[in-house]
Amino acid sequence: MENRKKALVLLNMGGARNKDELKMFLTNMFNDKNILTINSNLLRKLIAFIITKRRLNEAWKNYELIGNKSPINPLTEKLVDRCNEEIKEFKTYQVMRYTPPFAQDVIKEILEDEIEEIVLLPLYPQYSTTTTKSSVEDFIDYLPYSFGQNIRYIDNFYKNEAFNSCIIDEIEKNIEKEDDFNIVFSAHGLPQKIVDKGDPYEEQMKEHVEILSKMLKEKGLNFKSINLAYQSKVGPMKWLEPSLDEKLKEFKNEKVLIYPLSFIVDNSETDFELAIEYKHIADNLGIKEYKVCKCVNDSNAFIEAIKDIIK
């Protein structure tokens, strides 16, 4: 590859390639101060250990149903390869937050490549302290101070028209007669207390659904209803509502199309949780048809959207 002095770094959470990496993922995630917002590092470490020990075997059973690994890794590698082919101005790298490749290792590579300028693109369309802030901080923490100010990051990109066109295209691919379907934009949930502290995620999610609703209408795609719901709740505390399982109860004897709105690359939450776990719930509720859209992944349209987003 020719010598490129600019780096595009795609940031994401990561996903397990085996059971040891699942343990690593859970341990690192629950040790993240943006996820478990406890002031004491020692207490956070203890809680992370307890949660990981309790959840590991149960969580691994889910991975066994999707081929013993998260699809996020091969799909992100394909996305990086496509970016390197199509976006000539930058050399593209990936950094995962909770599983390899980690920031500190990729930064070594970036410095060896004599990169002079870095653009961070967190693969989270909407900003949250639990995702965007966590990933960006983690990267910057390992970057030598001598690198200076030659780094910028994309705060969010849910308003980007090229990106939203990718979503509309994926939705359109999955239906023949949209007026038969209720569409549910499913987003990863957050504890309510994080939103109450000023996290803009819920507000941006609602705005994103409004933007997409308008685009669907302009394209003449008239769904029976357009909805927002939240998935992946864990633990007893209050999370954002409505939850996806509660929302699905409204559609007995009807058809439902799910679009995973908070994800760019398919992962265990799309391939297991949405496609298997919630499908089981939908079947039990008597939903006539239940379909899940793919994420934008490494599609041609998303590569074009990335070019626009990082301009």
Side-chain angles (χ1 to χ4, degrees):
M1 184 178 290
E2 70 270 27
N3 189 16
R4 306 180 197 181
K5 296 298 181 190
K6 289 182 181 179
L8 171 63
V9 183
L10 308 179
L11 304 177
N12 212 336
M13 282 193 174
R17 298 168 183 86
N18 50 55
K19 194 173 181 180
D20 285 342
E21 272 199 5
L22 181 57
K23 186 179 179 184
M24 178 195 290
F25 181 94
L26 294 171
T27 302
N28 289 338
M29 181 169 72
F30 291 112
N31 268 295
D32 183 346
K33 65 182 186 296
N34 291 292
I35 300 284
L36 271 188
T37 54
I38 299 163
N39 289 332
S40 164
N41 289 340
L42 191 64
L43 183 57
R44 190 184 312 108
K45 202 170 182 178
L46 177 65
I47 293 170
F49 174 77
I50 292 166
I51 295 173
T52 301
K53 199 168 172 57
R54 276 190 192 156
R55 289 186 61 181
L56 180 62
N57 289 334
E58 198 57 44
W60 181 247
K61 285 178 194 167
N62 303 342
Y63 274 80
E64 287 176 337
L65 295 171
I66 55 168
N68 298 312
K69 58 183 185 292
S70 170
I72 199 170
N73 298 300
L75 288 170
T76 306
E77 283 156 18
K78 277 174 75 178
L79 178 59
V80 169
D81 289 345
R82 293 290 319 283
C83 287
N84 275 319
E85 285 164 21
E86 304 287 337
I87 308 174
K88 301 293 186 191
E89 190 188 348
F90 292 86
K91 182 175 179 187
T92 303
Y93 306 78
Q94 61 151 321
V95 167
M96 297 298 195
R97 182 68 181 90
Y98 305 127
T99 55
F102 291 120
Q104 61 195 104
D105 302 314
V106 177
I107 285 168
K108 279 179 198 159
E109 199 185 325
I110 285 171
L111 296 173
E112 281 164 14
D113 289 342
E114 299 180 339
I115 295 293
E116 292 165 0
E117 191 181 320
I118 298 172
V119 176
L120 299 179
L121 176 59
L123 294 178
Y124 317 114
Q126 311 82 12
Y127 180 94
S128 172
T129 53
T130 59
T131 51
T132 315
K133 177 175 180 277
S134 175
S135 287
V136 170
E137 275 181 354
D138 177 60
F139 187 90
I140 289 170
D141 278 352
Y142 288 106
L143 195 66
Y145 188 67
S146 58
F147 195 84
Q149 298 297 307
N150 299 328
I151 180 165
R152 67 182 174 95
Y153 79 94
I154 308 300
D155 190 272
N156 64 71
F157 55 91
Y158 68 95
K159 293 179 185 176
N160 182 275
E161 198 173 336
F163 166 60
N164 285 324
S165 293
C166 303
I167 295 176
I168 302 296
D169 290 348
E170 179 57 34
I171 289 168
E172 205 171 6
K173 260 195 311 206
N174 275 279
I175 43 160
E176 282 170 23
K177 280 182 70 188
E178 75 283 348
D179 55 4
D180 282 353
F181 276 88
N182 301 279
I183 186 166
V184 181
F185 290 105
S186 183
H188 197 290
L190 267 190
Q192 185 66 48
K193 68 171 191 175
I194 288 176
V195 175
D196 293 344
K197 283 182 181 171
D199 192 301
Y201 178 77
E202 181 185 25
E203 197 181 303
Q204 291 187 6
M205 200 58 78
K206 286 177 177 172
E207 193 179 355
H208 198 183
V209 171
E210 277 175 29
I211 291 165
L212 291 167
S213 300
K214 192 168 174 238
M215 288 177 77
L216 287 167
K217 198 174 176 185
E218 283 167 0
K219 227 178 170 189
L221 296 170
N222 299 303
F223 284 87
K224 274 186 95 170
S225 68
I226 298 174
N227 310 270
L228 170 63
Y230 296 94
Q231 64 184 88
S232 312
K233 179 184 187 297
V234 288
M237 68 174 79
K238 184 173 164 56
W239 279 49
L240 288 176
E241 292 175 342
S243 64
L244 182 54
D245 44 348
E246 284 299 315
K247 179 54 71 176
L248 289 174
K249 288 176 184 174
E250 297 173 19
F251 305 121
K252 191 177 177 183
N253 297 322
E254 295 190 37
K255 296 180 181 181
V256 175
L257 180 69
I258 303 283
Y259 186 86
L261 195 56
S262 52
F263 302 110
I264 292 298
V265 179
D266 280 304
N267 56 76
S268 61
E269 266 118 339
T270 59
D271 282 22
F272 168 73
E273 207 176 321
L274 288 177
I276 297 174
E277 193 172 37
Y278 282 103
K279 184 180 188 314
H280 183 65
I281 291 168
D283 291 346
N284 285 342
L285 289 169
I287 287 171
K288 201 188 289 183
E289 192 175 346
Y290 173 91
K291 294 177 84 172
V292 181
C293 294
K294 285 290 183 194
C295 294
V296 294
N297 293 316
D298 66 326
S299 65
N300 292 337
F302 184 54
I303 301 295
E304 291 307 309
I306 288 177
K307 292 178 187 176
D308 195 50
I309 289 161
I310 63 175
K311 268 196 312 214

